[in-house]
Amino acid sequence: MKNNLIKTFILAALITGGLSSCKKDLDRTPINTATADVVYNSATGYKSALAKVYGAYALTGSSGSGSSDLGGIDAGTSDFLRLYWNAQELPTDEAICAWNDVGLHDFHDMNWTAGNTFLQGLYTRSIYQITVANSFIAESTDDKLASRGITGADADNVRHYRAEARFLRAFQYWVLMDLFANPPFVDENFPIGKSYPTQTSRAALFTYVESELKAIDGSLLPAHTAEYGRADQAAEWALLSRMYLNAEVYLGAGKGRYTDAAAYAQKVINSGYTLATNYRNLFLADNNVSNPEVILSINYDGISGQNYGGTTFIINSCINGSMNPTSFGVPSGGWGGNRAVSTLPQQTFGDYSGNTDKRAMFTGSKITNDDESTFTDGLAVTKWKNITSTGAAGASSNGVFASTDFPIFRLAEMYLTYAEAVLRGGTGSTATALQYYNLVRTRAYGNANGNAAAIGLNDILNERGREFYFEAQRRTDLIRFGVFTSDSYKWPWKGGLIAGRGVDSYRTIYPIPSTDLLANPNLKQNTGY
């Protein structure tokens, strides 16, 4: 059952491959009416089309690892998670990459421009996924269902699917809001080909995403009941909680939504999830099996869903050939790219070598990052593997592709979100906040030895670093805590200097890609670029 949606997508992609053109803006051509009536002629057809919406998160294109739905970027680097991970981890105190691809070092040096290919790719990938969702949403109205003779339980199922597509669209608009702030906006009612999309604002997009998520609450499957890898109410609540926690970043000082962040985190906590017993098993090839913690994941299959992004990218980029790739489940892999910034083992974990925190997973002999382009300048992170919890190799067609799923939301985040929101003034219990913080710590240490008697906001930032390192959350966290661009907290190569330095505050937002500015006269560049 592991990746039913991914396997279904491969078939669906063959049917709906003409769903959208590969233009870089939101002006996409939908399926023509005749084709749509074939694709959406039954509830089964709708589920296959829904798999296309989910599949856009896990695959680069419809015909294997060498294909891409996007133009202007190498297929292997055009996967959503690979692009998102780079943008969220490489400009931070956690990750640094040895590769010299044009534009890649710009992340850690914090000197990217509107012409950065990787930022263009991420922006375009998010917009593509919105476009795919829009097409499905437009074809799954009650009127469309009635015209195709889909009624009763089948129609009810399609309404669930439609709510999921709206969730996935909202998630991508949240990504664009968080990273690019002011993207173009269209929904399923936009008259394609008639005009250019208009630009929205961060505040307007916040309101839209919030309203969309609340609107679909009654149409999603109940929390903790959806098929593995599909969004249900708990995923919706988790995204609302995450968004509310960052509301002051999106809306401005004094406009926090911390009470809401705590309340929605508590809704997820109350819905039946528990922490996995073994933290390390969350990042292995059988992390889909009886996993009590993951609320929503991006599913990968090293045989049926080949892709050089996703967890294939994370696992292979974090090791090199001398690290016995077979022990990581990728015997033909090991690309020698991403490793830890020295602040991760030294400051976040605090002398990890003598630490009993079981989340500290590093290897290597040199902690410092003297040379950005040398993989062994810095400890390798061994957190992610294509190995199962029993030590067996994960499924892979070529010894490189991985079958390890990526958790978008998991319970530990909700515990720490509740704690932080209450500490920031949200309504809630400080005793419960401490309890949730210590639940995460108890799992990390295997006992109560690491538990705290009291906590402050800096404890939360450090704990989030220990719990979620290399999970594409750090940039957003550092911005929320006011230290992403600040000179008050430096790490090696921040701002392009080995000692680190602060950079201009406008870099908390990425630029609108120059390619889209040229293509759409309605767009204006973000401040500073």
Side-chain angles (χ1 to χ4, degrees):
M1 290 181 60
K2 171 163 186 171
N3 288 307
N4 288 340
L5 281 171
I6 294 300
K7 293 172 183 176
T8 305
F9 164 68
I10 294 170
L11 175 60
L14 297 176
I15 300 171
T16 64
L19 182 69
S20 304
S21 68
C22 293
K23 291 167 64 179
K24 59 183 173 292
D25 56 28
L26 282 166
D27 183 8
R28 310 292 179 99
T29 302
I31 305 175
N32 62 53
T33 303
T35 304
D37 286 339
V38 172
V39 172
Y40 299 107
N41 67 349
S42 66
T44 300
Y46 271 99
K47 189 169 185 181
S48 293
L50 177 68
K52 168 74 175 178
V53 185
Y54 278 99
Y57 282 72
L59 301 173
T60 58
S62 59
S63 56
S65 60
S67 67
S68 178
D69 299 310
L70 313 183
I73 188 170
D74 176 76
T77 62
S78 69
D79 160 81
F80 167 70
L81 180 56
R82 180 168 181 165
L83 293 163
Y84 183 63
W85 193 97
N86 283 338
Q88 286 285 86
E89 289 289 349
L90 292 182
T92 76
D93 59 346
E94 290 188 349
I96 187 169
C97 189
W99 301 331
N100 290 310
D101 303 51
V102 174
L104 200 54
H105 279 227
D106 295 353
F107 285 109
H108 204 70
D109 294 346
M110 303 184 84
N111 62 0
W112 53 78
T113 68
N116 186 284
T117 301
F118 299 99
L119 289 176
Q120 177 190 335
L122 176 58
Y123 174 94
T124 308
R125 173 59 67 181
S126 291
I127 286 176
Y128 173 77
Q129 291 174 197
I130 289 167
T131 305
V132 175
N134 278 341
S135 181
F136 184 92
I137 293 164
E139 293 294 338
S140 55
T141 63
D142 284 347
D143 286 345
K144 290 282 189 180
L145 295 181
S147 72
R148 291 164 180 156
I150 298 174
T151 60
D154 285 344
D156 289 339
N157 285 334
V158 174
R159 292 185 185 102
H160 290 312
Y161 304 159
R162 190 172 196 265
E164 291 175 55
R166 289 175 70 180
F167 170 84
L168 295 172
R169 178 177 64 182
F171 176 81
Q172 282 300 335
Y173 269 127
W174 169 77
V175 169
L176 290 171
M177 176 176 65
D178 186 69
L179 279 81
F180 298 97
N182 308 294
F185 176 85
V186 300
D187 61 15
E188 72 277 15
N189 299 311
F190 182 77
I192 292 177
K194 303 295 185 181
S195 62
Y196 291 104
T198 58
Q199 188 168 22
T200 189
S201 69
R202 209 177 209 183
L205 200 49
F206 182 98
T207 299
Y208 169 77
V209 173
E210 179 185 29
S211 64
E212 271 290 280
L213 293 174
K214 290 185 173 182
I216 62 176
D217 184 75
S219 299
L220 289 167
L221 290 171
H224 212 187
T225 66
E227 178 184 2
Y228 176 76
R230 286 174 54 189
D232 59 18
Q233 286 180 323
E236 169 227 326
W237 300 336
L239 180 52
L240 278 169
S241 182
R242 184 185 288 181
M243 189 170 74
Y244 288 140
L245 187 65
N246 291 283
E248 277 201 284
V249 174
Y250 305 145
L251 303 177
K255 297 182 179 181
R257 300 286 295 274
Y258 300 116
T259 294
D260 291 326
Y264 275 91
Q266 189 64 58
K267 284 169 74 75
V268 178
I269 292 166
N270 291 344
S271 61
Y273 294 91
T274 58
L275 291 178
T277 302
N278 190 327
Y279 176 84
R280 295 180 181 227
N281 290 353
L282 288 166
F283 313 101
L284 299 181
D286 57 351
N287 61 355
N288 63 299
V289 178
S290 302
N291 189 324
E293 180 171 347
V294 173
I295 299 157
L296 182 65
S297 60
I298 302 177
N299 300 351
Y300 293 99
D301 189 310
I303 295 177
S304 299
Q306 300 173 2
N307 175 12
Y308 285 102
T311 53
T312 291
F313 156 73
I314 297 175
I315 293 166
N316 283 281
S317 69
C318 288
I319 63 173
N320 65 11
S322 67
M323 292 175 61
N324 187 14
T326 298
S327 67
F328 289 83
V330 287
S332 300
W335 303 340
N338 296 310
R339 75 280 193 197
V341 179
S342 60
T343 44
L344 178 58
Q346 286 183 317
Q347 290 178 227
T348 303
F349 276 97
D351 185 20
Y352 85 99
S353 60
N355 201 318
T356 55
D357 188 328
K358 298 176 182 178
R359 297 170 297 186
M361 289 177 269
F362 307 101
T363 189
S365 59
K366 185 177 181 182
I367 293 180
T368 57
N369 312 112
D370 297 326
D371 185 349
E372 285 185 275
S373 299
T374 300
F375 177 69
T376 52
D377 271 23
L379 298 181
V381 173
T382 59
K383 177 174 177 174
W384 294 89
K385 296 180 180 180
N386 189 40
I387 294 289
T388 70
S389 56
T390 61
S396 179
S397 64
N398 64 352
V400 175
F401 298 132
S403 291
T404 305
D405 296 342
F406 183 89
I408 298 175
F409 301 109
R410 53 188 182 88
L411 180 63
E413 179 185 352
M414 297 299 101
Y415 281 148
L416 294 180
T417 293
Y418 181 96
E420 181 181 339
V422 170
L423 287 175
R424 289 186 182 275
T427 300
S429 164
T430 54
T432 301
L434 179 61
Q435 175 194 355
Y436 288 163
Y437 178 87
N438 282 334
L439 283 174
V440 175
R441 299 278 291 176
T442 298
R443 195 256 302 271
Y445 283 81
N447 52 47
N449 290 347
N451 287 10
I455 53 172
L457 282 174
N458 198 55
D459 295 311
I460 298 290
L461 178 61
N462 288 335
E463 192 62 27
R464 289 185 67 94
R466 290 183 285 265
E467 182 69 22
F468 302 116
Y469 70 100
F470 275 49
E471 291 185 59
Q473 297 210 31
R474 192 60 170 176
R475 170 191 160 274
T476 301
D477 288 348
L478 293 177
I479 291 171
R480 187 173 66 257
F481 278 82
V483 295
F484 182 65
T485 59
S486 170
D487 196 57
S488 65
Y489 177 44
K490 297 185 283 288
W491 52 84
W493 300 105
K494 178 180 181 177
L497 296 181
I498 190 169
R501 64 175 175 180
V503 298
D504 290 328
S505 61
Y506 70 80
R507 291 195 179 276
T508 57
I509 297 172
Y510 284 121
I512 302 297
S514 55
T515 48
D516 213 27
L517 287 172
L518 292 172
N520 185 350
N522 289 335
L523 301 182
K524 294 182 179 180
Q525 185 56 275
N526 290 329
T527 300
Y529 296 102

